[in-house]
Amino acid sequence: MKPEDEQADPGLLDLGTATTGTERSMATSIGEKDPESFTLVIIGASGDLTERKIVPALFDLYRKGEIPAPFRVVGCARTHLDDQGFREKMRKALGKKTRSSDAEWKAFAERLHYWSIDYSDESSFVALGTFLNSGVQGQGMAQNRIFYLAIPPSLCELTVGMIGRSGLAAEGTEGYGWSRIVIEKPFGRDLKSAAALDRSLHEHFNEHQIFRMDHYLAKETVQNILMFRFANAIFEPIWNRRYVDSVTIRALETLGVEHRAGYYEQAGVLRDMFQNHMMQLLALMAMDPPSAFEADRVRDEKVRVYRSLRPFPVGRLNDYLILGQYGPGVVRGKEVPGYREEPGVRPTSLIPTFASMRVFIDNWRWQGTPFYLTSGKRMGEKVTNITIQFKEVPHSVFRNVLGEHIAVNCLTMGIYPDERISLMFQTKHPGPRVSLTPVTMDFRYAQGQEDALMEAYEKLLLDCMLGDQMLFLRQDSVELCWSFLTPILNACETCSDRSEMLLFYESGTLDAEAVERLNRTRMVGI
Ligand code: NDP
């Protein structure tokens, strides 16, 4: 027990702005280790992820003084570019961010280099190694290395092999520091391919060197789920089947497939969103408290959730799963084409762009409580949130005046666009008559602290520099998620009435409420 004066004094908190002792100590513990200098090698640096996410996040970290000097970034891809061309491409991608602070950009840009490679030619990776060892203009490069695979999934196994065989994965031997590899979702396209990818990673890297990235996990509001649940004594006792009626996890997008049709036609919504983001959110909501806030303790608890997932009733798919594909429509006042009319999509494609599924977790805590997971493109609104709907009061003492049913309490954890936690409960409407009014108690996450919010890619890059794997996936969880989803994918992809399974929805029409109505009409037993 801490002495009284050391404990956080919550006082009368203004939920939006207060900083408690607990928050301060958490901030200290997360930032307490300093990263060591390193060289970041981005494979696939001519692509979308590099210019939209990786380099902007690095630049922001650099501006905040979070990256230790000296560091260098070496962009690699087949496209022929020189250092100057790569810097110019990145500057354009950063857009407005560079205008305000040219001096900062210039200093950062000097650390960006480019090296052309051929993914299938080992000598090209050996030459990259020589370049990394010799440095630039007489200045050596840090021997700690992060290899970031920003390439299509189909190239990952090949590239991992090239990195390994050319000796770039080695760590600890003379002249080398540590070596880490970052790999982006999707991790394979089913259980078998995920295991094969992992075997090739483990041929050359040890588990502590492998960082499997799911950027959802690094969103502040997602990280906050564990703080909310386990740093407060009042929620955990009701976080179970006795009090919770259902949990709904939504990730709705208004965007379509954009320029990623090649990938999406192979993936669809189940591989793109469910295997990773949705299953991760499910685990954070359903897991038991870990014994400590440490990478493996947290990941152990998530794995226990996946082990308890009830096998999906693939013989009754339509009762538990709704799949859809967007047709033409209007989104935010703009006419948009249907999925089948998007460039690169087959005109007869049966790839689902929307899915809503009901999942059960067969354990002591959650037996019988449905978890609804929904994600889709070209929806009526862009929203990511989690709603916990509590059970009705066991007996309504107000039934003589208000009738039998009282609207239930709801706790909503907003991830996007509202980064907030809201609790809906009933109060007496002021006045002489007995009537109830639902009210909401609201906590807005960034209130007064907008500058402190860290973008997901910044957080993950920083954690990778520190070697902290807490927010990265462990292979056992990847495989358990595939074990759950692969039978569903197989059943959907091989069933004779595949097109009948698909609900063709008009773009811009399905918002959260419409999805709920759809679940109620299409899924049995709701
Ligand atoms: P891109 O499609 O933009 O490809 C990246 C680079 O890979 C290309 O610039 C290209 O460079 C190289 N490449 C090599 N072979 C091929 C090929 N057959 N088809 C296409 N490109 C090829 O990928 P992203 O940057 O969008 O994504 C990289 C990884 O990150 C993927 O695994 C993706 O799933 C994942 N990801 C991406 C997100 C995003 O927002 N973009 C979000 C989350 C994950 P060159 O030809 O010069 O060698």
Side-chain angles (χ1 to χ4, degrees):
M1 179 78 183
K2 278 201 283 180
E4 205 59 35
D5 59 352
E6 269 183 57
Q7 295 197 15
D9 173 14
L12 286 172
L13 285 183
D14 165 355
L15 281 177
T17 53
T19 303
T20 67
T22 316
E23 285 172 271
R24 276 196 297 275
S25 64
M26 181 59 70
T28 317
S29 65
I30 285 171
E32 135 190 295
K33 215 168 127 188
D34 286 328
E36 297 164 7
S37 62
F38 65 98
T39 304
L40 175 66
V41 182
I42 306 172
I43 314 270
S46 58
D48 180 69
L49 186 72
T50 305
E51 62 178 45
R52 274 198 323 114
K53 295 291 182 190
I54 305 174
V55 172
L58 273 175
F59 185 46
D60 280 340
L61 286 173
Y62 174 75
R63 291 202 295 193
K64 291 175 190 166
E66 299 279 3
I67 305 187
F71 79 95
R72 302 231 172 230
V73 177
V74 180
C76 302
R78 291 175 305 191
T79 300
H80 288 289
L81 279 175
D82 56 14
D83 288 1
Q84 211 43 49
F86 182 53
R87 289 169 188 169
E88 192 48 29
K89 189 169 167 8
M90 294 303 117
R91 195 187 63 74
K92 279 194 188 132
L94 280 162
K96 286 186 195 144
K97 271 191 185 176
T98 53
R99 247 179 261 151
S100 59
S101 53
D102 249 359
E104 266 176 338
W105 164 253
K106 277 189 188 135
F108 176 78
E110 278 172 18
R111 301 178 179 284
L112 301 183
H113 306 278
Y114 191 83
W115 190 261
S116 293
I117 48 161
D118 175 348
Y119 306 106
S120 56
D121 178 5
E122 199 174 313
S123 66
S124 147
F125 284 80
V126 173
L128 169 65
T130 310
F131 172 64
L132 293 176
N133 288 337
S134 58
V136 273
Q137 291 157 0
Q139 290 182 335
M141 290 203 200
Q143 293 302 306
N144 296 321
R145 289 168 188 163
I146 300 174
F147 293 91
Y148 197 129
L149 301 194
I151 41 177
S154 54
L155 280 177
C156 286
E157 265 186 76
L158 173 72
T159 308
V160 168
M162 291 294 168
I163 293 172
R165 282 194 294 280
S166 54
L168 294 172
E171 61 174 15
T173 48
E174 206 179 324
Y176 290 95
W178 44 254
S179 174
R180 295 175 187 149
I181 187 160
V182 178
I183 182 156
E184 281 271 356
K185 65 108 184 168
F187 312 104
R189 53 173 283 107
D190 53 21
L191 180 56
K192 201 168 150 214
S193 54
L197 173 61
D198 192 57
R199 274 195 300 279
S200 65
L201 278 165
H202 277 281
E203 258 179 52
H204 306 288
F205 292 91
N206 291 313
E207 185 61 27
H208 72 267
Q209 298 175 275
I210 303 170
F211 289 72
R212 298 178 193 85
M213 179 95 126
D214 180 343
H215 70 272
Y216 254 54
L217 284 178
K219 288 178 188 282
E220 296 265 14
T221 38
V222 173
Q223 292 178 63
N224 189 45
I225 295 173
L226 293 191
M227 315 296 155
F228 179 81
R229 290 191 53 199
F230 303 134
N232 297 295
I234 57 174
F235 301 113
E236 207 39 32
I238 55 168
W239 212 264
N240 56 54
R241 63 189 297 276
R242 284 187 67 196
Y243 297 96
V244 175
D245 184 69
S246 64
V247 179
T248 301
I249 303 175
R250 325 180 166 83
L252 313 185
E253 296 179 75
T254 48
L255 285 179
V257 70
E258 306 298 295
H259 55 282
R260 303 188 73 210
Y263 155 73
Y264 207 83
E265 276 284 276
Q266 301 300 315
V269 67
L270 292 176
R271 290 189 177 86
D272 186 46
M273 291 297 289
F274 281 67
Q275 195 279 334
N276 32 73
H277 307 326
M278 305 303 279
M279 296 300 273
Q280 288 298 321
L281 294 178
L282 173 76
L284 290 172
M285 291 304 287
M287 67 191 252
D288 283 339
S291 57
F293 191 57
E294 288 166 8
D296 272 328
R297 298 292 76 77
V298 172
R299 299 193 296 179
D300 285 348
E301 292 304 330
K302 287 189 186 171
V303 158
R304 286 181 49 201
V305 173
Y306 298 139
R307 282 193 209 290
S308 307
L309 282 171
R310 185 183 299 175
F312 206 78
V314 286
R316 294 174 53 204
L317 273 183
N318 288 330
D319 295 340
Y320 288 80
L321 173 71
I322 304 168
L323 294 179
Q325 188 188 86
Y326 65 83
V330 177
V331 175
R332 292 181 172 158
K334 199 174 147 227
E335 280 188 31
V336 294
Y339 179 68
R340 290 175 173 187
E341 292 134 38
E342 300 274 17
V345 173
R346 288 161 297 161
T348 54
S349 174
L350 294 174
I351 290 297
T353 58
F354 166 86
S356 188
M357 69 165 66
R358 185 169 35 159
V359 169
F360 289 94
I361 299 168
D362 283 340
N363 63 15
W364 198 270
R365 187 194 280 263
W366 292 118
Q367 179 58 239
T369 309
F371 285 73
Y372 297 97
L373 314 184
T374 303
S375 180
K377 290 191 178 292
R378 287 280 189 235
M379 306 297 281
E381 60 182 324
K382 179 166 170 58
V383 62
T384 304
N385 65 20
I386 303 171
T387 306
I388 298 130
Q389 185 167 314
F390 291 94
K391 292 194 169 166
E392 285 186 22
V393 291
H395 163 70
S396 171
V397 295
F398 305 107
R399 76 171 165 278
N400 292 344
V401 270
L402 297 172
E404 201 61 51
H405 295 290
I406 296 176
V408 296
N409 300 122
C410 267
L411 178 73
T412 301
M413 310 187 86
I415 295 168
Y416 187 90
D418 292 329
E419 299 182 318
R420 66 197 330 159
I421 298 175
S422 320
L423 178 65
M424 199 278 280
F425 57 98
Q426 300 291 338
T427 55
K428 180 186 175 301
H429 191 72
R433 298 180 53 191
V434 179
S435 65
L436 295 178
T437 306
V439 293
T440 304
M441 197 156 72
D442 231 0
F443 161 63
R444 204 162 69 77
Y445 195 69
Q447 208 165 307
Q449 303 184 55
E450 277 80 0
D451 290 348
L453 282 183
M454 192 171 252
E455 209 271 327
Y457 273 85
E458 288 177 49
K459 171 72 180 146
L460 289 169
L461 282 165
L462 197 56
D463 282 359
C464 184
M465 293 173 208
L466 292 166
D468 181 350
Q469 292 180 309
M470 168 92 75
L471 300 179
F472 295 84
L473 308 193
R474 212 169 57 187
Q475 181 63 12
D476 50 356
S477 78
V478 172
E479 291 191 12
L480 283 163
C481 291
W482 277 125
S483 304
F484 176 72
L485 277 174
T486 302
I488 307 176
L489 286 162
N490 288 344
C492 294
E493 287 166 4
T494 56
C495 77
S496 52
D497 55 354
R498 235 181 123 184
S499 66
E500 276 162 42
M501 261 195 89
L502 271 189
L503 165 85
F504 291 93
Y505 58 97
E506 190 182 328
S507 284
T509 53
L510 280 182
D511 57 12
E513 257 183 67
V515 170
E516 216 171 290
R517 279 197 302 276
L518 189 65
N519 284 351
R520 274 199 298 271
T521 49
R522 298 274 293 250
M523 290 187 195
V524 291
I526 299 184

